[in-house]
Amino acid sequence: MNNSHKFRIFARTIRWLPAIRRARQGTGFTSADVIETSARRFGDRVFVEFEGRTTSYAEFNREANRVAHWALERGLGKGDVVALMMENRPEYLSIWAGLAKAGVTTALINTHLSGHPLEHVIESAACRALVLGDECLPAYRELAAAHLEALPLFVSRRDRSVAQADPADGGLSSLDAELRRFPTVNPPASVRDGLRSEDPLFYIYTSGTTGLPKAARFSHSRFVSGGMYHLLSGFGARDALYCALPLYHTVGGVICVNAVLLTGARLVLRRSFSASHFWQDIVESGATTFQYIGEMCR
């Protein structure tokens, strides 16, 4: 490593030292503060691009605020858990972000689970509600667990419709419709009084290859520092990060999202990974970097 390279790493470390310090445990700085700060700093810049539509940082924050006010009206707050099972799309991000603004922990459910493993992760989270993408309804309907029937269930549709009770969903509550009536302003920071950086933002589950999936507590502190590898490598506001990895896992949902939020860069989000479309996607989207995992290159 030559001196020039060492100096660049040192300069980047100094630049991001405040963010690194904020990520330490024992403070009241949470992921909600990251989201609101990014909305103020980057406003109309594109935060996420997905299937031909874009969402700015300000729009993302406003949609998250609707979720936060919805959660608060339902009496949800610090110590409560809501399960989220949905394929990659911008709504996934605004739902957990809004829950975080209310102090709620989100259990990120693997969309490939079904049967007993799915029943297990929902039950073990001791959640107060379940939010489903309509694409995940078939797996949920296969469950014959009577004790889950009392769990409030809210459906978010891929076509972003706001029908109060779509017959195709069996008359289940429409989250999209409910959110429309809530304000887009930031909820008071006081609703998170007592929430600390070491408190859980997510429950992220193991794959279940050696038994039933197990929940790992993922703190606000770990999210705030999650994108540091990108930042120290020189990732910045003019970059676009391609993410075809699932948002229910750390690599896609934390490392990619955090790096983009902290820099004002653009997240090029895809529903899932496709080997045949990967390079075409990179070229057409103008992505400058992507998050690597071994299976992707194989």
Side-chain angles (χ1 to χ4, degrees), residues 263-285:
T263 57
R266 174 166 54 101
L267 181 69
V268 180
L269 183 65
R270 293 296 178 260
R271 196 174 297 274
S272 60
F273 174 72
S274 168
S276 60
H277 289 91
F278 179 81
W279 287 117
Q280 180 181 348
D281 268 359
I282 293 290
V283 172
E284 292 180 352
S285 68

Short mmCIF file of all heavy atoms in Angstrom, two decimals, residues 263-285:
data_model
loop_
_atom_site.label_atom_id
_atom_site.label_comp_id
_atom_site.label_asym_id
_atom_site.label_seq_id
_atom_site.Cartn_x
_atom_site.Cartn_y
_atom_site.Cartn_z
N THR A 263 -24.83 9.02 2.32
CA THR A 263 -24.10 9.78 1.31
C THR A 263 -24.97 10.56 0.35
O THR A 263 -24.47 11.45 -0.36
CB THR A 263 -23.23 8.82 0.46
OG1 THR A 263 -24.09 7.82 -0.13
CG2 THR A 263 -22.17 8.13 1.31
N GLY A 264 -26.26 10.25 0.26
CA GLY A 264 -27.10 10.89 -0.74
C GLY A 264 -26.99 10.22 -2.09
O GLY A 264 -27.38 10.80 -3.11
N ALA A 265 -26.47 9.02 -2.12
CA ALA A 265 -26.35 8.26 -3.36
C ALA A 265 -27.70 7.68 -3.76
O ALA A 265 -28.72 7.92 -3.12
CB ALA A 265 -25.29 7.16 -3.21
N ARG A 266 -27.69 6.88 -4.84
CA ARG A 266 -28.93 6.29 -5.37
C ARG A 266 -28.89 4.78 -5.20
O ARG A 266 -27.90 4.14 -5.54
CB ARG A 266 -29.07 6.67 -6.85
CG ARG A 266 -30.22 6.03 -7.59
CD ARG A 266 -30.46 6.72 -8.94
NE ARG A 266 -29.25 6.77 -9.75
CZ ARG A 266 -28.99 5.93 -10.76
NH1 ARG A 266 -29.85 4.98 -11.10
NH2 ARG A 266 -27.88 6.07 -11.46
N LEU A 267 -29.98 4.22 -4.68
CA LEU A 267 -30.10 2.78 -4.53
C LEU A 267 -30.90 2.24 -5.71
O LEU A 267 -32.07 2.57 -5.89
CB LEU A 267 -30.82 2.44 -3.22
CG LEU A 267 -31.00 0.94 -2.91
CD1 LEU A 267 -29.66 0.30 -2.61
CD2 LEU A 267 -31.97 0.74 -1.75
N VAL A 268 -30.25 1.41 -6.53
CA VAL A 268 -30.92 0.76 -7.65
C VAL A 268 -31.40 -0.59 -7.14
O VAL A 268 -30.64 -1.54 -7.02
CB VAL A 268 -29.97 0.59 -8.86
CG1 VAL A 268 -30.69 -0.09 -10.02
CG2 VAL A 268 -29.41 1.94 -9.30
N LEU A 269 -32.67 -0.65 -6.81
CA LEU A 269 -33.23 -1.83 -6.14
C LEU A 269 -33.92 -2.72 -7.16
O LEU A 269 -34.66 -2.26 -8.02
CB LEU A 269 -34.23 -1.38 -5.08
CG LEU A 269 -34.86 -2.47 -4.22
CD1 LEU A 269 -33.82 -3.16 -3.35
CD2 LEU A 269 -35.97 -1.87 -3.34
N ARG A 270 -33.67 -4.02 -7.04
CA ARG A 270 -34.33 -5.01 -7.89
C ARG A 270 -35.08 -5.99 -7.01
O ARG A 270 -34.69 -6.26 -5.87
CB ARG A 270 -33.33 -5.73 -8.77
CG ARG A 270 -32.69 -4.83 -9.83
CD ARG A 270 -33.73 -4.33 -10.81
NE ARG A 270 -33.19 -3.41 -11.82
CZ ARG A 270 -33.30 -2.09 -11.76
NH1 ARG A 270 -33.90 -1.52 -10.72
NH2 ARG A 270 -32.81 -1.34 -12.73
N ARG A 271 -36.17 -6.56 -7.56
CA ARG A 271 -37.00 -7.48 -6.79
C ARG A 271 -36.21 -8.71 -6.36
O ARG A 271 -36.36 -9.22 -5.24
CB ARG A 271 -38.22 -7.90 -7.61
CG ARG A 271 -39.33 -8.55 -6.79
CD ARG A 271 -40.56 -8.79 -7.64
NE ARG A 271 -41.12 -7.53 -8.14
CZ ARG A 271 -41.98 -6.78 -7.46
NH1 ARG A 271 -42.34 -7.14 -6.24
NH2 ARG A 271 -42.47 -5.67 -7.98
N SER A 272 -35.35 -9.21 -7.25
CA SER A 272 -34.52 -10.38 -6.94
C SER A 272 -33.35 -10.43 -7.91
O SER A 272 -33.34 -9.73 -8.93
CB SER A 272 -35.34 -11.68 -7.03
OG SER A 272 -35.87 -11.84 -8.33
N PHE A 273 -32.38 -11.26 -7.61
CA PHE A 273 -31.20 -11.40 -8.45
C PHE A 273 -31.49 -12.24 -9.68
O PHE A 273 -32.15 -13.28 -9.60
CB PHE A 273 -30.06 -12.04 -7.64
CG PHE A 273 -28.85 -12.36 -8.48
CD1 PHE A 273 -28.03 -11.35 -8.93
CD2 PHE A 273 -28.56 -13.67 -8.82
CE1 PHE A 273 -26.91 -11.64 -9.70
CE2 PHE A 273 -27.44 -13.97 -9.59
CZ PHE A 273 -26.62 -12.95 -10.03
N SER A 274 -30.98 -11.79 -10.82
CA SER A 274 -31.08 -12.55 -12.06
C SER A 274 -29.72 -12.56 -12.74
O SER A 274 -29.21 -11.49 -13.12
CB SER A 274 -32.13 -11.93 -13.00
OG SER A 274 -32.03 -12.49 -14.30
N ALA A 275 -29.12 -13.74 -12.88
CA ALA A 275 -27.81 -13.84 -13.52
C ALA A 275 -27.88 -13.40 -14.98
O ALA A 275 -26.95 -12.76 -15.49
CB ALA A 275 -27.29 -15.27 -13.42
N SER A 276 -28.98 -13.70 -15.66
CA SER A 276 -29.09 -13.39 -17.08
C SER A 276 -29.30 -11.90 -17.35
O SER A 276 -28.99 -11.41 -18.44
CB SER A 276 -30.22 -14.20 -17.72
OG SER A 276 -31.46 -13.90 -17.10
N HIS A 277 -29.83 -11.16 -16.36
CA HIS A 277 -30.10 -9.74 -16.56
C HIS A 277 -29.13 -8.84 -15.79
O HIS A 277 -29.23 -7.61 -15.89
CB HIS A 277 -31.53 -9.40 -16.11
CG HIS A 277 -32.58 -9.95 -17.01
ND1 HIS A 277 -33.15 -11.18 -16.82
CD2 HIS A 277 -33.17 -9.43 -18.12
CE1 HIS A 277 -34.05 -11.41 -17.77
NE2 HIS A 277 -34.08 -10.36 -18.57
N PHE A 278 -28.21 -9.43 -15.06
CA PHE A 278 -27.37 -8.65 -14.15
C PHE A 278 -26.61 -7.53 -14.88
O PHE A 278 -26.75 -6.36 -14.55
CB PHE A 278 -26.39 -9.57 -13.42
CG PHE A 278 -25.46 -8.84 -12.49
CD1 PHE A 278 -25.88 -8.47 -11.22
CD2 PHE A 278 -24.17 -8.50 -12.88
CE1 PHE A 278 -25.03 -7.80 -10.36
CE2 PHE A 278 -23.32 -7.82 -12.04
CZ PHE A 278 -23.75 -7.46 -10.77
N TRP A 279 -25.80 -7.87 -15.87
CA TRP A 279 -24.97 -6.85 -16.51
C TRP A 279 -25.80 -5.87 -17.31
O TRP A 279 -25.47 -4.68 -17.40
CB TRP A 279 -23.90 -7.51 -17.37
CG TRP A 279 -22.82 -8.15 -16.55
CD1 TRP A 279 -22.49 -9.46 -16.48
CD2 TRP A 279 -21.94 -7.47 -15.63
NE1 TRP A 279 -21.47 -9.65 -15.57
CE2 TRP A 279 -21.11 -8.46 -15.04
CE3 TRP A 279 -21.79 -6.14 -15.24
CZ2 TRP A 279 -20.13 -8.16 -14.10
CZ3 TRP A 279 -20.80 -5.83 -14.29
CH2 TRP A 279 -19.99 -6.83 -13.74
N GLN A 280 -26.89 -6.33 -17.90
CA GLN A 280 -27.78 -5.41 -18.60
C GLN A 280 -28.37 -4.40 -17.63
O GLN A 280 -28.47 -3.21 -17.93
CB GLN A 280 -28.90 -6.20 -19.29
CG GLN A 280 -29.89 -5.31 -20.07
CD GLN A 280 -30.99 -6.12 -20.72
OE1 GLN A 280 -30.92 -7.34 -20.80
NE2 GLN A 280 -32.02 -5.44 -21.19
N ASP A 281 -28.77 -4.87 -16.45
CA ASP A 281 -29.27 -3.98 -15.41
C ASP A 281 -28.23 -2.94 -15.00
O ASP A 281 -28.55 -1.76 -14.82
CB ASP A 281 -29.68 -4.79 -14.17
CG ASP A 281 -31.14 -5.19 -14.18
OD1 ASP A 281 -31.84 -4.82 -15.13
OD2 ASP A 281 -31.57 -5.88 -13.24
N ILE A 282 -27.01 -3.40 -14.82
CA ILE A 282 -25.93 -2.50 -14.41
C ILE A 282 -25.77 -1.38 -15.43
O ILE A 282 -25.69 -0.19 -15.09
CB ILE A 282 -24.61 -3.28 -14.24
CG1 ILE A 282 -24.69 -4.25 -13.06
CG2 ILE A 282 -23.44 -2.31 -14.08
CD1 ILE A 282 -24.72 -3.60 -11.70
N VAL A 283 -25.70 -1.75 -16.70
CA VAL A 283 -25.49 -0.77 -17.76
C VAL A 283 -26.67 0.19 -17.86
O VAL A 283 -26.50 1.42 -17.90
CB VAL A 283 -25.24 -1.47 -19.12
CG1 VAL A 283 -25.21 -0.45 -20.25
CG2 VAL A 283 -23.94 -2.26 -19.07
N GLU A 284 -27.89 -0.35 -17.91
CA GLU A 284 -29.07 0.49 -18.13
C GLU A 284 -29.36 1.41 -16.95
O GLU A 284 -29.88 2.51 -17.12
CB GLU A 284 -30.28 -0.40 -18.43
CG GLU A 284 -30.18 -1.11 -19.78
CD GLU A 284 -31.40 -1.97 -20.06
OE1 GLU A 284 -32.24 -2.14 -19.15
OE2 GLU A 284 -31.50 -2.49 -21.19
N SER A 285 -29.04 0.97 -15.75
CA SER A 285 -29.33 1.79 -14.56
C SER A 285 -28.25 2.82 -14.27
O SER A 285 -28.47 3.74 -13.50
CB SER A 285 -29.49 0.88 -13.33
OG SER A 285 -28.25 0.27 -12.98
#
